[in-house]
């Protein structure tokens, strides 16, 4: 199953066409894209059996994040060996570094992003998990049953803000408006051939800068959820960024930052793509 947020309304995406959930369910499920996660298993059962009307074509630019207003956004750093090495950090052994991207940074999948003046703005393609069932002290073997689905995220990062001062400011440097594009749709794990092995790829102006597979994660999705939920309950609709592979601008020689006019395209196999164009602050 595939769901999306089309002009702030929850839709099922069937063969690339959008079916409005509130209309198709006769009002049983709300149009609010975030509210569905509080009734996730009930919604899944309904969607699996419902006789759906034909869908409508839509413009991807009208999509919002499939989880637009989560109660918590949790992001893991240094979760691929090659990225930890390029960033100059030791590998995490029991828990990756964890930070948040504040919820005001969330956007849909096709956007224009304003570059902070004087900043060094960088890209980080990431697999994003959305929680479907509250997870607290969940073992890795049971973690997938708490996942609503997977989607594509960009952990856009302004490195000057992130790294200046006496200790790094991961959350702040990664939370400018538009720095957390998510989408285009949310795909349930059963709809993917192998949800633990998805190809990720990101390009700047058509040039490939990141390419990896989620099977290279140090903490796989279930391992990451087990470790996070050993500390904090993960709530329905929460968003988890799982970390980025090598190839970010910070790790290059010479370093490279996004500039006005650049186009960033981030793709995950079986899910879809994000498309960001960067502009100078007027
Ligand atoms: Zn990241």
């Amino acid at each position: 199953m595939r769901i999306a947020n089309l002009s702030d309304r929850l839709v099922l995406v069937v063969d690339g066409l959008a079916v409005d959930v509130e209309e198709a369910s006769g009002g049983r499920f709300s149009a609010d894209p975030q509210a569905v996660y509080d009734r996730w298993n009930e919604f899944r059962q309904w969607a699996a059996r419902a006789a759906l009307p034909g869908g409508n074509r839509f413009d991807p630019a009208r999509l919002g994040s499939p989880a637009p207003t989560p109660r918590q956004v949790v992001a893991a750093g240094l979760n691929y060996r090659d990225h930890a090495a390029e960033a100059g950090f030791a590998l995490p052994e029991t828990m990756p570094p964890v930070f948040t991207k504040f919820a005001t940074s969330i956007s849909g999948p096709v956007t224009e992003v304003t570059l902070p003046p004087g900043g060094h703005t960088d890209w980080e393609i990431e697999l994003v998990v959305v929680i479907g069932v509250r997870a607290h002290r969940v073992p890795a073997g049971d973690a997938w049953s708490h996942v609503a689905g997977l989607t594509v995220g960009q952990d856009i990062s302004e490195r000057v803000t992130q790294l200046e001062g006496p200790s790094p400011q991961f959350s702040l440097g990664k939370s400018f408006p538009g720095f957390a594009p998510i989408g285009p749709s949310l795909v349930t794990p059963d709809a993917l051939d192998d949800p633990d092995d998805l190809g990720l790829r990101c390009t700047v102006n058509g040039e490939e800068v990141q390419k990896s597979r989620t099977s290279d994660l140090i903490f796989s999705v279930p391992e990451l959820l087990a470790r996070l939920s050993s500390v904090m309950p993960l709530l329905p609709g929460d968003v988890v960024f799982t970390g980025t592979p090598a190839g970010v601008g910070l790790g290059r020689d010479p370093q490279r930052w996004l500039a006005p006019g650049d186009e960033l395209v981030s793709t995950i196999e079986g899910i879809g793509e994000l498309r960001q164009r960067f502009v100078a602050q007027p």
Side-chain angles (χ1 to χ4, degrees):
M1 182 176 69
R2 195 176 276 263
I3 61 170
N5 167 0
L6 182 59
S7 301
D8 299 322
R9 292 184 67 86
L10 177 66
V11 296
L12 279 157
V13 181
V14 183
D15 298 330
L17 303 176
V19 177
D20 188 274
V21 167
E22 186 184 43
E23 289 173 10
S25 70
R28 178 172 165 192
F29 294 100
S30 155
D32 177 355
Q34 189 70 40
V36 71
Y37 302 107
D38 286 323
R39 294 165 65 192
W40 183 250
N41 283 335
E42 184 190 346
F43 173 74
R44 283 208 65 178
Q45 285 169 13
W46 169 79
R49 292 182 196 136
L52 297 171
N56 297 308
R57 293 183 186 282
F58 60 93
D59 177 356
R62 288 170 56 215
L63 293 171
S65 167
T69 53
R71 285 172 284 198
Q72 307 186 96
V73 180
V74 186
L78 309 181
N79 202 11
Y80 289 82
R81 284 174 187 80
D82 56 357
H83 174 63
E86 73 176 351
F89 290 99
L91 295 181
E93 288 175 10
T94 55
M95 184 79 85
V98 173
F99 55 93
T100 194
K101 290 173 81 72
F102 294 107
T104 52
S105 65
I106 293 175
S107 78
V110 180
T111 58
E112 198 167 79
V113 180
T114 299
L115 292 162
H120 292 164
T121 300
D122 202 350
W123 54 85
E124 297 192 357
I125 185 174
E126 307 201 2
L127 178 71
V128 162
V129 177
V130 178
I131 301 297
V133 175
R134 187 179 193 274
H136 192 205
R137 300 176 188 144
V138 169
D142 189 30
W144 273 120
S145 69
H146 295 257
V147 172
L150 302 174
T151 187
V152 188
Q154 254 294 342
D155 178 16
I156 300 174
S157 303
E158 198 286 282
R159 304 299 189 190
V160 175
T161 304
Q162 180 187 334
L163 298 172
E164 75 184 348
S167 83
Q169 293 263 30
F170 276 57
S171 299
L172 205 57
K174 292 164 173 274
S175 291
F176 288 87
F179 271 33
I182 299 171
S185 56
L186 186 86
V187 182
T188 52
D190 62 283
L192 296 161
D193 289 341
D194 181 354
D196 285 301
D197 183 22
L198 301 170
L200 315 82
R201 181 169 183 267
C202 145
T203 64
V204 177
N205 304 330
E207 178 191 340
E208 183 174 280
V209 288
Q210 290 186 281
K211 185 178 189 192
S212 187
R213 302 196 68 82
T214 60
S215 49
D216 287 336
L217 282 163
I218 297 172
F219 300 102
S220 65
V221 169
E223 280 293 341
L224 180 61
L225 298 183
R227 284 159 206 259
L228 292 171
S229 81
S230 74
V231 176
M232 59 185 291
L234 298 169
L235 307 175
D238 279 359
V239 165
V240 181
F241 280 75
T242 58
T244 201
V248 303
L250 177 74
R252 289 169 180 267
D253 186 13
Q255 292 181 326
R256 176 172 170 186
W257 315 118
L258 291 161
D262 282 351
E263 186 179 51
L264 178 66
V265 178
S266 312
T267 311
I268 299 184
E269 176 186 21
I271 302 177
E273 70 173 30
L274 309 176
R275 192 170 285 267
Q276 273 57 60
R277 182 164 289 280
F278 292 84
V279 297
Q281 184 171 296

